[in-house]
Amino acid sequence: MSNIFISRVTINNFRNFNFFDIKTSHKQVIFGENESGKSNYIYALQLILDPSLSDNDRYLSDSDFNNEISDPVKSHSQITITIYFSGFEDSKTLLAQFSDALVNVDDEKHLKITYNYYPEENELGEIEYKYNIFKGDDENKTFTARDRRYLSLKVIKPLRDVDYDLKNIRTSPLHKLIEQYEIDPNKLILIAEAMKLQSSTLLDIDEINDLQNIIEKKLINMLGEVSDLRVNFSMAEVNPARVLNALKLMLSGRTLEEKSLGIKNVLYITMLMLQYTSDLVPTIIKERDYIKYIDCNSSSILQESYKKTEDGNYILIDKEINKKLYEFFQKNQRIGIPHVIIAIEEPEAHLHPILQRLVFRDFIFNNNKSIILTTHSTHITSISPLEYMVHALKINNTSSKITTFNDLSLTSKDKKDIERYIDVSRGEVYFGKGVILVEGIAEEYLLPEFAKLIGFPLDEYGIVVCNVNSTNFVPYRKLLNKLAVPNVIVTDGDFYYENQDESREYHTLYVESDSRNYGFLGYEIASKLLLYFDVSNELLESGIFPKSIIEKHDIFLGDYTFEIDIFLKSLKNTKSISAIINTYNDISNGGPKQKENFYNELMNGEVYKCLNKIEAKGVGKGRFAQRFSSMCIKENIPDYVVKAINRIIEKCYPDE
Amino acid sequence: MNELRKSKLKQIISDEQQARAYNSNAHTTVIAGPGSGKTSILTLKALKLLENDIREPQGLGCITYSREAAREIRDRLHAFGFKSNGNSFFGTVHAFCIAEVLIPFAKLYKHFEISNPIRVASKTDRTKAYQLALRKFKYSTRDVSITEMNRERKIGILGISKIKIPSYDIALKVAKGYEEILHANKVIDFEDIVNYSTVLIQREAFVRKCLEAKFPWLLVDEYQDLGKPLHEIVLSLLLQTEIKIFAVGDPDQSIYGFQGAIPAYLEELATFTNIKKVILEKNYRSNQDIVNASEAVLEQNRGYVAGTRKEERAEFSFHVCDSEMIEQYQLVSDNLIPQLKSSGIPYDEIAILVGINSEVNCLAAMLSEKKIPFYISKHDFERTELIQWLENCSKWTLNNDLFSFDDLFIYWWDFLNQNQNNFNSNEISERVKLFKLLTDSIIYKENLQDWLKYILDGLSLINILNGSLLLPDELDNLILLQKTISENRINFDMKSFSELGRPRDQVTLATRHSSKGLEFEAIIMLGMEEERFPHYLSLHDADKLAESSRICFVCISRAKRICILVRSLIHTIPTRNGPWQKSFDKSRYWTLLENWQNEYGYSILEI
């Protein structure tokens, strides 16, 4: 059974949003820097859906117009917020209540609800602003408090006082949950009576009795025996209507007051989720409801799945809930249950990173309810599938934009690659100021060092190096462009000679005397990549873009492979040569002869032979790069890498 | 539970058949003979379901044939203490189809090409399209009437039902042309409203799913009058959704064959396997003689039993005039009514039933002359839902206890939402506005005309109706109402307007068709000549003849005790060669009743 969720949002002129129109998913993980509009986005949803807002709150003011409109009132501007919903078809409650909100978009049915803040001329000819929230396309079908009884948004604020909310009867989700059971009042009376009795027997000790008498006497002396002034002590609430208010939740045998804020947050949010999520198949059925179900159904599925307790209720026998049972309750679903979409702002508060991952993996994957989160936590963003991500992007000081990644047109394999990368890299691309995309581990180790050597420590500049482990940069660039994160690609040129039979010979250096045709695989890949981004007008006849164009689009290529380009560059300077030699000597397991060979080959310019030695067993490019990163100097850095680093700095900090 | 409801419920529980219908949890058809208390069962059943089985935001669908019947059910619900929350529907098929099917769903299925927003054809639109269609096929109004054309459109709807009705090919041709013209003008008429809804329900699973979500129960009153489209809607919902159907009707009272309604549909519904069939055999209106005599007219033995007036005998009398209707009117006003009155029967327990509307008017003129107060349930204006609402407004204005302001407002708010373009206001301010307007209107209570004007102006009703897409004929109707009031032929004041539905110490004049649903101590049936009743055109058509018998059955069963028949020996018929004084024999129903009287009767009324 699917659950209702917000599938599309458009906003016009509201606060820092000029306009956007996004498709959203069953879960929304909203991220973005401070002041980028995350809260305003949630507030826009609240304007329509949150029952705790007053009519007055929904009445916006001049200051709520987007700043880009210079004189909104004079130009009779309007603020419009539209929410579309999907996944409502299985709920009879929603179908019964919202037929007016039905619209057909691209042959799919949605519920559509619109908030509109608009000018109207009054009888005196003055312009007055009014607001209207309506269902579907008909402004007359107003969306009212009655509608919010069945479809609403509950926002849990980032600065929450969990301690207070858990302790306070009025706000405690625990007590709301208990209320939902609608426990038989007669049972409560029994509990209250028993507690009363227990309490008075237990307290029947001399000291307490003495105190009772003293107080009672004092009162009677003071007031006379005018009314009932008997004094008693009690250890518990004995009013049946309130007896369960005294319930306290204990965790590992301790009261919550003694537990950490983090655990309390997890507990609080868990209970809230329970409060607003009701499973289709109930775990407990009251006798009268059970009889009604049995009465109007011939199937024996209930008898098979529930057993009667001594208390008279029927409880679900602990086993896998089968399809038949789901179907039964789909058909006989409880009517009138509110559908609440929960928005939690910064759920990571007070949570250890490991807990963040565990808790939100559960929220996101093990929950069929629609949830909206705003977060700064890479532990949350890193585990979220791409389609759940909602990016709040600051365009300038007054304007922001919200984007999602549902229209990235990625193949499922690309999408999986990206998600895996995002997971292992803890979602760093989402928070980078700029990104350098590289194809392998060597670049990943060395580029930060190289950047530091030329005066741009990437960490301080908020730039991350992202290793895509292949040359398939397309999905990454799509994602980054959508995120509006500046990025450059650093990749190998992969020079080759072409033989008579059109086969290619790689791993060889250019020699002037060789008359064969030659080319660069890297340029071919880069050109293909650029075609994805609509840069076709400058294409050469060979189907390859000239280097200048490729670099203009922030792709920087070496001639051969990363290491070879480093070696060739390093040969121009003795210090840079020794940085390489020393690194090799440090990590090689070979004897002095082998190290001497390496030295000789390098000095002779036989760099591919050197590379073979590095790739040999027991060394490896990764290990070499790791060690080299602590040895390298400015003179080791190939020119194209320098260019790439300069470019990304330029793009991220155009004013410096 | 209030006292009224308690006592009605007690009555139902004490009748085994009524109790079975009331308690049924399955699909049910209830065959409800005359006076069997079907409206009570329907209303109490609705209340029971709303309280026990239906939870907000679900509601109940209750469909009736006439607006009058819908109003009756709403009034009774109110009297039983029911508070509407706006989730349930009580009204006619047309209202149901517009509000619950076309408005929410038509726009989702563009390929049906239903105009959006929905625009209902006005009377002028319809007449014009009909005339154009006739011209197109070179027919005249004599070849095909509007009624015949519309009947074809109703019976032409396809679906699950296996009942075949012979089609009239010329009318069918004109009907097709008519629809093309209407739809080219982007308007739809009443037949379209039901037909399009039927097709939407039949073809679109999602529409059925939504209706199922909204209405776990569908109650249908007067099933025999509702015709084929509704029958197909019900069958589609019965077989393809979880909606429980509770259909009440009486095949013997099916008298709208000219509109395409036939008794067979209800009978067919009762044959579906999972449907419980309940027959209410007790008649709580008439004595046993009337029950038996009415069955004699029908030439059927239904075995109905009088549940009241035990030991009482019926009185029949037969009166023959020399010529024309005029003598019958004279007999009625000079002899019959005064004598009934003097025997202790109040005016409002007497009804005079005639064949056609023009006879009602002639009789009315005569009674006026003789100063006999009378009541015509039919007015120049139609008692539309809006007019009924205005009646209720006047009722509430006169006495706040007689009607619920909440119910008044729910109608008004829906009305505004459906009919006002670019409407923007909030519910509270409209509520306050209506409350204040009605409360203030009390100063005009002495003058209905002024009161109505004050209300119409205060609500800007004329303005709203001018732009209304759904109620194109309502404005003209409202003007007719104002004209009727200003002419003051029927002594119209606030009180009589607020009680427009029922006679107040007045003799009721009605056509035989419109007598349906009413009841009187005594009925007087005029024009009981063969070839006039049954009509000569029906004599050689078995279906029409059977329907004519049912009409007579309906008329007789209106009476609780007294039944008077009147005929003339000669009627003048205008012909091409001048008037023709034709002599008429007694109606076959006269003969049947006379024979019954001779065999089983007790006394002939001494009049």
Side-chain angles (χ1 to χ4, degrees), chain A residues 411-619:
Chain A
T411 65
S412 62
K413 190 183 156 294
D414 284 353
K415 192 174 152 283
K416 255 187 211 143
D417 279 350
I418 287 196
E419 282 172 0
R420 194 169 47 230
Y421 164 73
I422 287 167
D423 193 4
V424 298
S425 68
R426 298 285 187 256
E428 60 187 10
V429 286
Y430 291 134
F431 299 95
K433 181 89 187 162
V435 173
I436 303 175
L437 292 167
V438 300
E439 65 172 86
I441 192 153
E443 289 91 335
E444 188 183 350
Y445 285 135
L446 285 170
L447 254 60
E449 279 318 308
F450 287 172
K452 210 183 280 169
L453 289 171
I454 53 178
F456 300 118
L458 296 183
D459 279 349
E460 288 172 30
Y461 282 83
I463 290 162
V464 295
V465 176
C466 161
N467 172 14
V468 312
N469 271 317
S470 76
T471 54
N472 183 18
F473 295 105
V474 176
Y476 295 85
R477 178 158 268 195
K478 276 186 182 168
L479 174 69
L480 289 165
N481 285 356
K482 186 84 191 188
L483 285 162
V485 172
N487 59 87
V488 297
I489 294 169
V490 173
T491 183
D492 294 345
D494 288 330
F495 171 86
Y496 63 84
Y497 274 117
E498 197 173 88
N499 296 322
Q500 292 289 319
D501 60 357
E502 293 191 0
S503 65
R504 289 177 174 187
E505 188 185 333
Y506 288 100
H507 308 294
T508 174
L509 294 181
Y510 172 72
V511 188
E512 218 170 319
S513 55
D514 198 325
S515 61
R516 287 179 294 172
N517 286 334
Y518 64 89
F520 296 89
L521 179 65
Y523 283 82
E524 289 162 16
I525 292 172
S527 298
K528 262 189 216 153
L529 186 149
L530 287 187
L531 288 176
Y532 275 103
F533 297 93
D534 276 341
V535 201
S536 51
N537 52 340
E538 293 143 305
L539 199 63
L540 295 179
E541 262 179 54
S542 55
I544 293 174
F545 288 99
K547 187 172 181 175
S548 61
I549 297 298
I550 290 175
E551 285 192 355
K552 201 174 115 195
H553 290 98
D554 310 318
I555 304 174
F556 296 90
L557 295 132
D559 293 329
Y560 303 98
T561 62
F562 187 52
E563 289 81 2
I564 298 296
D565 289 324
I566 290 173
F567 295 160
L568 293 174
K569 170 77 184 181
S570 305
L571 284 173
K572 292 171 184 157
N573 178 302
T574 48
K575 274 189 192 157
S576 51
I577 291 173
S578 25
I580 290 169
I581 300 298
N582 290 340
T583 306
Y584 181 77
N585 289 346
D586 253 18
I587 57 171
S588 166
N589 300 327
K593 179 75 192 155
Q594 197 179 345
K595 288 175 181 167
E596 197 190 321
N597 286 346
F598 183 86
Y599 175 81
N600 290 333
E601 282 158 3
L602 184 66
M603 296 315 284
N604 286 338
E606 296 170 291
V607 284
Y608 273 107
K609 282 188 179 162
C610 296
L611 186 57
N612 282 341
K613 289 207 164 54
I614 286 171
E615 284 177 327
K617 221 174 144 198
V619 188

Side-chain angles (χ1 to χ4, degrees), chain B residues 406-583:
Chain B
D406 280 345
D407 287 350
L408 285 180
F409 182 70
I410 285 172
Y411 174 86
W412 178 241
W413 181 244
D414 285 349
F415 176 86
L416 283 176
N417 279 320
Q418 284 194 1
N419 293 289
Q420 203 168 4
N421 303 328
N422 309 317
F423 169 60
N424 45 56
S425 182
N426 73 51
E427 201 169 333
I428 300 298
S429 72
E430 285 299 331
R431 203 184 168 91
V432 172
K433 200 171 129 190
L434 181 67
F435 188 87
K436 196 168 164 341
L437 186 76
L438 291 183
T439 315
D440 292 351
S441 75
I442 190 74
I443 55 167
Y444 297 106
K445 71 172 177 183
E446 299 306 329
N447 187 326
L448 178 60
Q449 207 175 338
D450 292 350
W451 179 82
L452 189 61
K453 189 172 175 343
Y454 180 75
I455 298 294
L456 297 187
D457 290 351
L459 299 173
S460 320
L461 205 48
I462 305 287
N463 230 337
I464 295 169
L465 288 175
N466 250 325
S468 166
L469 299 178
L470 295 178
L471 302 171
D473 297 326
E474 197 69 55
L475 186 57
D476 287 345
N477 195 43
L478 213 51
I479 290 167
L480 275 178
L481 169 67
Q482 284 180 299
K483 195 168 149 243
T484 312
I485 294 171
S486 68
E487 286 169 355
N488 200 23
R489 270 187 299 150
I490 39 175
N491 196 13
F492 238 167
D493 60 12
M494 275 283 270
K495 184 142 171 59
S496 61
F497 183 61
S498 76
E499 294 171 356
L500 202 53
R502 42 186 72 96
R504 289 190 305 156
D505 200 28
Q506 293 161 317
V507 176
T508 297
L509 314 187
T511 62
R512 293 192 271 263
H513 270 101
S514 60
S515 71
K516 200 148 166 253
L518 308 176
E519 57 177 38
F520 305 92
E521 187 73 12
I523 61 150
I524 305 170
M525 294 178 70
L526 305 189
M528 295 298 285
E529 300 92 11
E530 189 74 1
E531 290 183 62
R532 296 186 79 238
F533 184 45
H535 196 267
Y536 69 94
L537 288 177
S538 304
L539 293 178
H540 303 291
D541 182 326
D543 287 343
K544 283 187 177 164
L545 202 55
E547 181 166 302
S548 184
S549 301
R550 294 195 295 269
I551 293 171
C552 192
F553 170 78
V554 167
C555 290
I556 307 285
S557 57
R558 298 309 94 200
K560 296 175 191 169
R561 181 166 62 94
I562 299 170
C563 186
I564 303 169
L565 281 69
V566 185
R567 68 183 177 102
S568 298
L569 296 171
I570 290 170
H571 284 285
T572 306
I573 299 170
T575 70
R576 236 174 296 173
N577 310 321
W580 171 32
Q581 301 225 312
K582 182 177 185 307
S583 56

Side-chain angles (χ1 to χ4, degrees), chain B residues 32-37 250 253 282-285 294 304 553 557-558:
Chain B
S36 58
D250 182 5
Q253 296 185 61
K282 270 202 185 133
N283 182 327
Y284 291 92
R285 174 190 301 148
S294 64
Y304 289 150
F553 170 78
S557 57
R558 298 309 94 200

Side-chain angles (χ1 to χ4, degrees), chain A residues 16-31:
Chain A
N16 45 1
F17 308 119
N18 183 287
F19 172 75
F20 68 79
D21 179 350
I22 52 166
K23 292 208 165 107
T24 52
S25 301
H26 199 263
K27 308 278 188 296
Q28 294 186 35
V29 178
I30 308 164
F31 66 101

Side-chain angles (χ1 to χ4, degrees), chain A residues 117-391:
Chain A
Y117 183 68
Y118 63 98
E120 199 179 61
E121 207 174 295
N122 67 16
E123 284 161 3
L124 302 169
E126 299 158 341
I127 293 297
E128 261 183 84
Y129 267 83
K130 289 185 167 177
Y131 81 86
N132 185 22
I133 306 176
F134 59 93
K135 295 181 268 190
D137 294 319
D138 185 348
E139 288 169 27
N140 293 346
K141 308 278 186 211
T142 46
F143 180 85
T144 63
R146 204 185 150 82
D147 293 304
R148 272 180 219 109
R149 274 208 325 239
Y150 304 110
L151 178 58
S152 61
L153 178 76
K154 163 84 184 169
V155 176
I156 301 167
K157 285 282 166 199
L159 293 170
R160 46 190 171 264
D161 188 342
V162 177
D163 265 331
Y164 174 84
D165 282 351
L166 284 173
K167 246 189 268 173
N168 190 313
I169 298 297
R170 217 172 38 77
T171 52
S172 162
L174 173 65
H175 291 97
K176 295 262 160 54
L177 285 169
I178 292 171
E179 267 171 34
Q180 286 176 0
Y181 279 98
E182 295 174 2
I183 300 169
D184 182 357
N186 291 323
K187 284 187 193 164
L188 298 181
I189 291 172
L190 286 180
I191 296 173
E193 292 293 329
M195 282 170 62
K196 211 166 162 180
L197 193 69
Q198 283 280 327
S199 160
S200 55
T201 4
L202 291 176
L203 290 175
D204 191 9
I205 53 173
D206 294 345
E207 292 85 345
I208 298 289
N209 287 335
D210 188 53
L211 184 58
Q212 260 170 223
N213 287 335
I214 291 172
I215 298 175
E216 195 173 299
K217 256 186 204 143
K218 271 271 174 219
L219 277 176
I220 291 171
N221 280 341
M222 219 167 8
L223 304 171
E225 288 187 59
V226 278
S227 53
D228 188 357
L229 294 172
R230 270 175 304 163
V231 170
N232 280 111
F233 289 114
S234 166
M235 286 202 297
E237 176 70 68
V238 289
N239 179 341
R242 290 198 302 266
V243 67
L244 292 183
N245 290 358
L247 276 192
K248 269 192 172 170
L249 201 134
M250 312 281 283
L251 206 59
S252 51
R254 287 165 189 274
T255 63
L256 284 184
E257 281 87 353
E258 301 170 68
K259 302 304 275 186
S260 80
L261 211 45
I263 284 294
K264 273 185 271 194
N265 258 287
V266 175
L267 195 68
Y268 175 74
I269 292 173
T270 307
M271 286 198 289
L272 270 181
M273 302 276 265
L274 283 174
Q275 184 189 335
Y276 293 111
T277 328
S278 45
D279 281 329
L280 186 65
V281 177
T283 46
I284 178 166
I285 308 178
K286 289 197 194 314
E287 189 163 21
R288 65 184 148 89
D289 296 333
Y290 187 83
I291 292 169
K292 236 182 213 170
Y293 284 137
I294 297 287
D295 258 7
C296 53
N297 288 281
S298 49
S299 117
S300 61
I301 184 72
L302 279 195
Q303 285 96 317
E304 288 164 21
S305 311
Y306 287 84
K307 70 166 188 254
K308 193 170 181 169
T309 65
E310 284 175 14
D311 235 2
N313 296 310
Y314 288 79
I315 54 164
L316 187 65
I317 299 165
D318 205 15
K319 63 173 184 188
E320 283 280 289
I321 293 167
N322 65 32
K323 208 172 144 229
K324 259 167 83 188
L325 199 58
Y326 263 111
E327 278 167 6
F328 177 86
F329 281 105
Q330 172 69 34
K331 220 158 104 180
N332 297 287
Q333 56 185 269
R334 285 163 293 168
I335 302 298
I337 289 172
H339 290 253
V340 185
I341 293 170
I342 302 177
I344 311 173
E345 295 194 53
E346 292 166 34
E348 64 267 27
H350 313 289
L351 280 189
H352 184 276
I354 302 229
L355 271 186
Q356 288 180 25
R357 266 176 104 80
L358 291 176
V359 170
F360 297 105
R361 212 178 270 281
D362 185 71
F363 278 11
I364 288 170
F365 295 105
N366 299 341
N367 193 316
N368 65 358
K369 228 173 130 84
S370 178
I371 296 170
I372 299 173
L373 308 171
T374 72
T375 184
H376 290 294
S377 164
T378 54
H379 302 281
I380 296 172
T381 53
S382 63
I383 57 163
S384 306
L386 213 50
E387 66 265 25
Y388 292 171
M389 303 306 290
V390 176
H391 185 213

